């Protein structure tokens, strides 16, 4: 197990190092393809390599045409099997936080909740790897109000750190009969306005927390991005009548998430490279939108 | 009864007349009497005026005034006078020596004033009578009584004054002036004595100066007033000095009335009228008295000196123009600002400040301004929720979800061939169809190949060749060429190509058959012929004699034909 891991890691690092060259090659091929399609003359810098590249292009198929980055490798096998999630908290959680975590367990299908106790993060991650978990979710709080969530994809995968705002839990709504129980079917996902590369990446991370649903489920989970604040909503819909009338009933907690860091390693790897980190002190931060729109 | 020389003084005349009237005449209202009474009171008032520096009236106003009003005026004059006189009496009680000194001075000052005395005495008598008459004149008894009391006191004071004047005796012409001199002397002495209480030096000087001035005054009547005026000023100065030395509460925080009266005395001091001069003299005397009796009683005259000072200051204040005031303001402001600049700045203006450098909890009170460079968290309002739900509904209707797509799995089972039912008429006849079926059943080799199978075959052929080459490259040991069985349709082959059971007869028959067949196939003919010709020997009965292993050869030959065919095909291929 250990050796396998080290080997995989080495491969991963090697592929990462090759990426640069691959990207250049891909770019050249793409330019030639475009030129051929549009009927324009091939750009002069590619004249020498043009013939060979064209030959390669002909031989390419769909999967080889797109350059694969190490990032994609993380989720390469994700679609083959359903994700297995472990949810836990920071140390000494308060009662409201434990309630929130229980709710989250129902939100993500195929998820398990674990008491934190006195475990170290490294231990948690190792046990998860051993038991073939795909993701670990850690929830932090401030005086009973959940204020942070960390999603770590397991084999070596990326870790995304979010801050939570405007959290409304199901427990806040006192009338239990009004809410009823939460459906546990595999939900449909809506990821709205994740248009930049970083947005796509975040969408990917969030997407792969859920398994492949049946096409006819009534349960909808929405991650809607509005100027870098992602709104999480959980609905169940009903179709009354025929013509395009849909009634949404909100179920489950609702909160806003704000991404502040993505690292290319698991939770316990402090020295892992940061893919992206928020920089609020820059003068232009206010004007820019990192996740899209 | 007897009228004294009344041509000069109507007032005196009036007094005398009053005195002369008999008691019953007073009972009936008599206008002439009232006129005389008024005149007499006016005269008295005027004569007392010099001793009351603060009275607001220069002259007793009697024409057209009520008895009550006249009385009020007199009252105003007499009140301060009473207190002054009381003080003087007390002083003389304490120091009886002063009286004698007074007398001496007067005697020194005024020589040959005896003539005047008599006149004065007469006048004083007349005055006394007048005073008595005056008392009787008044309508109301109470007022009369009060008047009487006041008048008595006045009489006393007057008597003193007159007595002093009487001692002098002097020039008839300068009667009033002598009187003035007397008053002046009195004042000077009072000043002296006042000064003497604290320090002798000044007093003597003033005495001397006064003495010299008095001598001068005897000579020149004209200069008197001026000198008196000067002396008055001098007195004022002395007064000021005294004021500085003996400052009391009253001097600073006295009533406004006193101040105003003091002002008037100042005005009196600085004017140059004769009358004013008289008043001035008297006022000076009054001031002198004040000086001497500081702190005895709160009197209007006490405030004199300090009020003078204040008055002087106030005058200076009044003279400040608006511009000067503004300048003053500016100056004070500038001072403030300079002071601020010199001190250390407030902690909020000091740049980077840690908690140690500023007072406790001071940051809570100050309104700190921050530039927030982060977009604030979105407030989830109804509208936001509705908008979100709209988006969700749209997506649901379209069926556009961003679910995870499952990766396409490689098929473990080959896809079944779907036999399509062809509508067209079959080109083969039914018999041919049955033929093919039978052949399929019996001989697998000649199975009709479907399109897919052909492709498969081609693929497998290619693959076999490839493997052959790879093996040739990679294997160490020689491996022979694999036999590739080629299935090709040969048209001329008879339908029935069966494995034959080999008997002699069969062989013989087959030989002929074979011969016949072989003739057709060029290649195999020659060889077989050769082989067969060797063995073709007819024996007895025409039967073929086999030599050796003809059977085998035949069989071989027969079998060879098949393999030959294969070889032929092989050769063809190569």
């Amino acid at each position: 197990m250990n050796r396998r891991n080290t080997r995989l890691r080495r491969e991963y690092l090697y592929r990462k190092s090759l990426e640069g060259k691959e990207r250049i090659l891909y770019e050249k091929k793409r330019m030639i393809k475009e030129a051929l399609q549009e009927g324009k003359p091939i750009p002069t810098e590619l004249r020498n390599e043009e013939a060979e590249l064209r030959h390669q292009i002909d031989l390419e198929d769909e999967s080889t045409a797109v350059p694969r980055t190490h990032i994609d490798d993380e989720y390469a096998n994700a679609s083959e099997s359903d994700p297995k999630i472990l949810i836990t908290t920071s140390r000494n959680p308060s009662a409201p936080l434990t309630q929130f975590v229980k709710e989250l367990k129902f939100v993500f299908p195929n998820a398990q909740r674990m008491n934190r106790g006195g475990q170290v993060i490294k231990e948690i991650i190792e046990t998860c790897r051993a038991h073939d978990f795909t993701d670990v979710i850690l929830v932090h709080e401030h005086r009973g109000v959940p204020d942070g969530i960390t999603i770590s994809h397991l084999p070596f995968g990326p870790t995304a750190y979010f801050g939570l705002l405007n959290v409304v839990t199901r427990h806040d709504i006192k009338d239990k009969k009004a809410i009823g129980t939460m459906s546990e079917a595999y939900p449909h996902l809506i990821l709205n306005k994740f248009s930049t590369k970083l947005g796509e990446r975040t969408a990917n991370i969030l997407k792969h927390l859920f398994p492949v649903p049946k096409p006819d489920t009534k349960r909808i989970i929405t991650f809607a991005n509005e100027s870098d604040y992602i709104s999480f909503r959980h609905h169940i819909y009903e179709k009354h009548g025929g013509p395009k009338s849909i009634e949404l009933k909100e179920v489950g907690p609702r909160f806003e998430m704000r991404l502040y860091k993505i690292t290319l390693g698991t939770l316990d790897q402090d020295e892992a490279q940061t893919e992206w980190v928020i920089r609020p002190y820059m003068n232009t931060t206010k004007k820019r939108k990192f996740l899209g729109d | 009864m007897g009228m004294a020389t009344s041509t000069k003084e109507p007032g005196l005349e009036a007094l005398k007349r009053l005195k002369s009237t008999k008691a019953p005449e007073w009972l009936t209202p008599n206008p002439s009497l009232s006129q005389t009474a008024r005149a007499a009171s006016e005269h008295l008032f005027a004569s007392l005026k010099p001793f009351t520096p603060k009275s607001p009236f220069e002259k007793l106003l009697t024409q057209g005034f009520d008895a009550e009003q006249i009385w009020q005026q007199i009252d105003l004059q007499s009140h301060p006078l009473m207190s002054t006189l009381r003080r003087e009496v007390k002083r003389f009680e304490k120091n009886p020596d002063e009286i004698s000194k007074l007398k001496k001075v007067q005697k020194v000052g005024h020589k040959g004033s005896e003539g005047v005395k008599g006149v004065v005495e007469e006048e004083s008598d007349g005055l006394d009578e007048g005073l008595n008459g005056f008392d009787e004149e008044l309508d109301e008894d109470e007022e009369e009584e009060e008047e009487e009391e006041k008048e008595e006191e006045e009489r006393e004071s007057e008597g003193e004054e007159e007595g002093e004047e009487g001692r002098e005796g002097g020039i008839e012409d300068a009667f009033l002036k002598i009187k003035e001199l007397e008053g002046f002397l009195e004042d000077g002495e009072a000043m002296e004595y006042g000064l003497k209480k604290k320090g002798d030096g000044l007093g003597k000087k003033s005495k001397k100066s006064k003495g010299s001035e008095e001598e001068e005054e005897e000579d020149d009547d004209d200069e008197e007033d001026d000198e008196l005026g000067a002396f008055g000023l001098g007195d004022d100065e002395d007064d000021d000095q005294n004021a500085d030395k003996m400052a009391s509460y009253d001097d600073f925080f006295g009533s406004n009335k006193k101040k105003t009266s003091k002002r008037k005395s100042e005005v009196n001091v600085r004017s140059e009228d004769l009358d004013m001069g008289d008043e001035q003299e008297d006022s000076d005397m009054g001031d002198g008295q004040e000086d001497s009796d500081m702190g005895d009683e709160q009197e209007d005259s006490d405030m004199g000196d300090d009020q003078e000072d204040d008055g002087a200051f106030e005058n200076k204040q009044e003279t400040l123009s608006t511009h000067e005031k503004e300048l003053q303001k500016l100056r004070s402001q500038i001072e403030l600002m300079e002071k601020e600049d010199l001190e250390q700045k407030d902690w909020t203006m000091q740049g980077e400040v840690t908690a140690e450098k500023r007072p406790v909890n001071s940051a809570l009170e100050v309104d700190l301004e921050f530039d927030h460079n982060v977009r604030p968290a979105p407030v989830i309002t109804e509208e936001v929720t509705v908008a979100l739900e709209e988006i969700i509904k749209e997506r649901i209707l379209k069926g556009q979800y961003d679910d995870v797509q499952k990766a396409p799995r490689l098929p473990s089972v080959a896809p079944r061939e779907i036999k399509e039912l062809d509508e067209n008429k079959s080109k083969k006849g039914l018999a041919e169809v049955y033929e093919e079926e039978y052949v399929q059943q019996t001989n697998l080799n000649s199975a009709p190949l479907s399109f897919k199978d052909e492709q498969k075959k081609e693929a497998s052929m290619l693959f076999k060749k490839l493997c052959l080459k790879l093996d040739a490259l990679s294997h160490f040991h020689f491996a022979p060429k694999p036999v590739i069985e080629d299935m090709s349709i040969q048209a001329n082959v008879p339908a029935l190509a069966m494995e034959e059971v080999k008997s002699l007869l069969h062989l013989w028959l087959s030989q002929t058959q074979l011969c016949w067949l072989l003739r057709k196939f060029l290649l195999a003919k020659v060889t077989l012929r050769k082989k067969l010709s060797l063995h073709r020997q007819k024996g007895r009965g025409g039967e073929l004699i086999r030599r050796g292993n003809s059977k085998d050869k035949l069989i071989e030959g027969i079998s060879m034909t098949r393999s030959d065919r294969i070889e032929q095909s092989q050769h063809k291929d190569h």
Side-chain angles (χ1 to χ4, degrees), chain B residues 6-214:
Chain B
S6 59
T7 49
K8 291 171 189 175
E9 266 306 317
L12 279 170
E13 189 188 20
L15 276 169
K16 281 180 182 173
R17 210 154 28 97
L18 282 173
K19 221 171 113 183
S20 64
T21 52
K22 287 184 179 174
E25 283 181 11
W26 293 106
L27 293 169
T28 54
N30 198 342
S32 64
L33 259 178
S34 68
Q35 279 293 323
T36 38
R38 281 169 203 257
S41 53
E42 273 179 20
H43 172 73
L44 280 170
F45 191 89
S47 55
L48 283 173
K49 184 69 178 74
F51 299 103
T52 55
K54 284 154 198 143
S55 72
F57 307 108
E58 288 179 22
K59 181 180 113 175
L60 186 68
L61 305 163
T62 50
Q63 301 301 327
F65 280 93
D66 207 2
E68 178 69 17
Q69 287 164 339
I70 295 166
W71 163 241
Q72 283 292 331
Q73 288 175 42
I74 292 164
D75 202 18
L76 257 175
Q77 194 198 40
S78 59
H79 259 296
L81 210 69
M82 284 304 128
S83 40
T84 317
L85 286 168
R86 255 184 245 122
R87 249 197 302 122
E88 286 296 306
V89 166
K90 278 182 190 171
R91 194 160 63 79
F92 285 129
E93 275 177 6
K94 287 175 192 173
N95 309 326
D97 302 335
E98 290 180 5
I99 303 166
S100 58
K101 281 183 185 172
L102 261 172
K103 281 183 185 175
K104 278 182 186 174
V105 172
Q106 281 171 355
K107 277 179 184 173
V108 168
H110 299 278
K111 293 174 184 175
S113 61
E114 291 166 354
V116 181
K117 268 188 193 176
V119 173
V120 171
E121 278 172 4
E122 280 180 6
E123 285 181 357
S124 68
D125 293 336
L127 279 169
D128 288 335
E129 287 172 1
L131 283 169
N132 289 331
F134 189 69
D135 287 338
E136 291 168 1
E137 187 202 359
L138 289 172
D139 296 332
E140 293 177 13
D141 295 334
E142 293 177 356
E143 285 179 3
E144 281 178 19
E145 286 173 6
E146 286 172 25
E147 270 282 296
E148 222 176 322
E149 288 172 12
K150 295 258 172 162
E151 288 297 321
E152 280 172 5
E153 288 178 359
E154 279 182 354
R155 223 189 301 148
E156 287 171 16
S157 62
E158 290 250 306
E160 277 186 28
E161 287 175 12
E162 283 159 17
E164 287 170 11
E165 286 165 10
R167 276 177 237 130
E168 287 171 340
I171 310 161
E172 284 181 15
D173 297 333
F175 167 70
L176 279 171
K177 289 179 185 173
I178 287 165
K179 194 184 170 191
E180 285 171 9
L181 276 168
E182 292 275 356
F184 171 71
L185 283 166
E186 289 264 326
D187 200 18
E189 281 154 17
M191 288 278 288
E192 278 177 33
Y193 293 130
L195 284 168
K196 233 189 177 179
K197 277 183 183 174
K198 295 111 198 176
D200 296 332
L202 278 164
K204 285 174 184 174
K205 281 182 187 174
S206 60
K207 230 184 183 178
K208 285 175 185 175
S209 64
K210 279 167 194 172
S212 63
E213 281 173 1
E214 283 163 22

Side-chain angles (χ1 to χ4, degrees), chain B residues 380-571:
Chain B
I380 302 300
T381 56
E382 277 292 320
E383 297 135 9
V384 172
T385 324
V386 166
L388 269 175
E389 292 195 350
E390 290 299 312
I391 295 169
I392 295 168
K393 280 181 192 172
E394 261 186 62
R395 289 287 203 100
I396 293 169
L397 287 169
K398 287 184 198 170
Q400 221 180 45
Y401 303 116
D402 303 305
D403 300 328
V404 182
Q405 303 296 331
K406 249 198 169 158
R409 269 197 211 154
L410 294 168
S412 50
V413 180
R416 281 187 301 152
E417 286 175 18
I418 302 162
K419 288 180 183 173
E420 290 175 8
L421 286 171
D422 208 358
E423 300 272 317
N424 302 330
K425 190 181 171 189
S426 167
K427 287 173 186 171
K428 298 177 189 171
L430 195 60
E432 286 170 5
V433 171
Y434 287 148
E435 244 183 76
E436 281 175 17
E437 269 187 41
Y438 184 63
V439 165
Q440 260 190 348
Q441 280 171 7
T442 51
N443 189 357
L444 286 165
N445 290 339
S446 59
L449 303 164
S450 63
F451 183 65
K452 282 192 182 175
D453 289 335
E454 273 190 14
Q455 277 190 331
K456 275 188 192 172
K457 203 179 131 198
E458 204 184 319
S460 60
M461 278 301 297
L462 284 169
F463 189 66
K464 269 192 180 172
K465 283 181 200 169
L466 181 68
C467 284
L468 188 79
K469 287 183 183 171
L470 280 173
D471 289 338
L473 285 170
S474 55
H475 290 167
F476 188 63
H477 303 287
F478 169 71
K481 266 191 193 174
V483 170
I484 302 174
E485 287 193 12
D486 188 18
M487 311 282 229
S488 58
I489 297 169
Q490 283 151 2
N492 293 324
V493 171
L496 294 168
M498 291 193 303
E499 198 76 39
E500 287 170 326
V501 177
K502 309 285 188 261
S503 67
L504 280 170
L505 182 65
H506 278 283
L507 281 167
W508 184 73
L509 284 168
S510 65
Q511 263 189 3
T512 53
Q513 273 183 347
L514 276 167
C515 288
W516 179 72
L517 283 167
L518 285 167
R519 271 175 208 146
K520 300 227 170 163
F521 296 92
L522 284 167
L523 286 167
K525 258 188 201 177
V526 179
T527 49
L528 268 174
R529 241 188 226 162
K530 282 179 185 172
K531 285 179 185 174
L532 289 171
S533 63
L534 287 170
H535 301 290
R536 204 184 292 161
Q537 281 181 9
K538 289 188 180 176
R540 297 170 197 170
E543 59 179 354
L544 274 170
I545 299 164
R546 283 184 291 123
R547 286 184 191 164
N549 302 325
S550 58
K551 207 189 201 178
D552 298 345
K553 282 177 189 174
L554 276 170
I555 293 165
E556 268 186 326
I558 293 163
S559 63
M560 264 174 73
T561 53
R562 204 168 285 156
S563 63
D564 279 349
R565 279 189 217 143
I566 291 166
E567 278 185 8
Q568 281 172 25
S569 64
Q570 275 184 350
H571 287 298

Side-chain angles (χ1 to χ4, degrees), chain B residues 214-443:
Chain B
E214 283 163 22
E215 285 172 355
E216 287 174 5
E217 277 162 18
E218 281 178 30
D219 299 331
D220 291 319
D221 295 334
D222 296 329
E223 294 172 5
E224 257 183 278
D225 292 334
D226 298 335
E227 282 167 3
L228 280 167
F231 191 75
L233 278 168
D235 283 347
D236 285 342
E237 286 170 11
D238 292 330
D239 290 343
D240 292 340
Q241 285 172 4
N242 285 334
D244 291 336
K245 285 186 181 178
M246 295 272 284
S248 70
Y249 175 86
D250 300 329
D251 303 331
F252 293 104
F253 303 104
S255 61
N256 289 333
K257 207 167 82 176
K258 294 166 188 175
K259 280 186 184 173
T260 52
S261 61
K262 179 55 188 170
R263 271 214 182 153
K264 287 217 168 173
S265 74
E266 277 183 35
V267 171
N268 297 339
V269 163
R270 282 163 197 174
S271 68
E272 291 177 7
D273 287 340
L274 276 171
D275 293 334
M276 295 305 283
D278 293 337
E279 289 162 350
Q280 178 189 14
E281 196 183 328
D282 290 333
S283 70
D284 293 342
M285 195 170 89
D287 289 341
Q289 285 168 350
E290 286 164 20
D291 294 332
S292 57
D293 296 324
M294 277 304 173
D296 282 349
E297 280 172 318
Q298 192 172 16
E299 294 168 16
D300 295 337
S301 49
D302 271 343
M303 301 304 299
D305 299 325
D306 300 304
Q307 280 168 11
E308 200 186 279
D309 290 339
D310 296 338
F313 187 60
E314 280 167 7
N315 283 344
K316 283 175 192 169
Q317 279 282 316
E318 283 172 15
T319 54
L320 266 186
S321 63
T322 46
H323 175 67
E324 283 179 12
K325 281 182 200 164
E326 279 204 20
L327 280 179
Q328 265 191 352
K329 244 195 224 174
L330 263 176
R331 245 176 267 135
S332 61
Q333 266 186 4
I334 288 168
E335 268 180 41
L336 255 177
M337 289 175 78
E338 281 177 351
K339 197 184 161 202
E340 261 183 51
D341 280 336
L342 288 171
E343 283 176 359
Q344 212 191 20
K345 281 189 197 169
D346 193 27
W347 71 266
T348 47
M349 303 300 260
Q350 265 182 13
E352 282 191 22
V353 177
T354 58
E356 296 138 17
K357 290 181 192 168
R358 56 179 161 82
V360 181
N361 285 342
S362 55
L364 294 170
E365 293 133 28
V366 174
D367 210 5
L368 296 169
E369 220 181 74
F370 288 103
D371 254 343
H372 293 277
N373 208 15
V374 184
R375 256 175 262 117
V379 179
I380 302 300
T381 56
E382 277 292 320
E383 297 135 9
V384 172
T385 324
V386 166
L388 269 175
E389 292 195 350
E390 290 299 312
I391 295 169
I392 295 168
K393 280 181 192 172
E394 261 186 62
R395 289 287 203 100
I396 293 169
L397 287 169
K398 287 184 198 170
Q400 221 180 45
Y401 303 116
D402 303 305
D403 300 328
V404 182
Q405 303 296 331
K406 249 198 169 158
R409 269 197 211 154
L410 294 168
S412 50
V413 180
R416 281 187 301 152
E417 286 175 18
I418 302 162
K419 288 180 183 173
E420 290 175 8
L421 286 171
D422 208 358
E423 300 272 317
N424 302 330
K425 190 181 171 189
S426 167
K427 287 173 186 171
K428 298 177 189 171
L430 195 60
E432 286 170 5
V433 171
Y434 287 148
E435 244 183 76
E436 281 175 17
E437 269 187 41
Y438 184 63
V439 165
Q440 260 190 348
Q441 280 171 7
T442 51
N443 189 357

